[in-house]
Amino acid sequence: MAIGSSTTYIGDESPNLKGQQVRIFAVLRGGLRPDANPDADDYYVNDNETLARLGGVTAEDCIDAAPIRPDGTTSFVHVDPRAIDLECFAHLRKSSAQ
């Protein structure tokens, strides 16, 4: 289960987020691909059942996430890090390097 879960940002592209907890709201499928189509029906996936049916998260995806505040609420500001920059998807780094 990815949507609704919390994880740690471990990437370097957003230094202010490094080590911070974020909550996942959706997966931007193929968000890193040059031919990504934000208007496609399967681009913004915000439920786990659909995500599983489409094959899950890949190294080419970005994630719609929000930083978690100390009180447990999320910021209204969302970020879209690469999936591989989140601890729960770090294992995808290895498969994307092959």
Side-chain angles (χ1 to χ4, degrees), residues 48-69:
N48 287 305
E49 294 77 22
T50 302
L51 184 60
R53 183 175 48 78
L54 294 171
V57 178
T58 72
E60 294 182 331
D61 297 337
C62 290
I63 305 297
D64 175 21
I68 300 174
R69 297 181 178 129

Side-chain angles (χ1 to χ4, degrees), residues 20 67-74:
Q20 198 171 82
I68 300 174
R69 297 181 178 129
D71 67 0
T73 62
T74 55

Side-chain angles (χ1 to χ4, degrees), residues 7-77:
T7 190
T8 304
Y9 178 83
I10 59 171
D12 294 321
E13 290 187 350
S14 298
N16 59 323
L17 281 178
K18 185 97 173 182
Q20 198 171 82
Q21 287 283 299
V22 297
R23 183 156 303 127
I24 298 170
F25 285 88
V27 175
L28 309 175
R29 297 195 66 249
L32 294 176
R33 294 174 45 110
D35 62 345
N37 180 2
D39 295 323
D41 290 339
D42 63 350
Y43 179 75
Y44 188 88
V45 179
N46 61 0
D47 71 82
N48 287 305
E49 294 77 22
T50 302
L51 184 60
R53 183 175 48 78
L54 294 171
V57 178
T58 72
E60 294 182 331
D61 297 337
C62 290
I63 305 297
D64 175 21
I68 300 174
R69 297 181 178 129
D71 67 0
T73 62
T74 55
S75 170
F76 69 90
V77 176

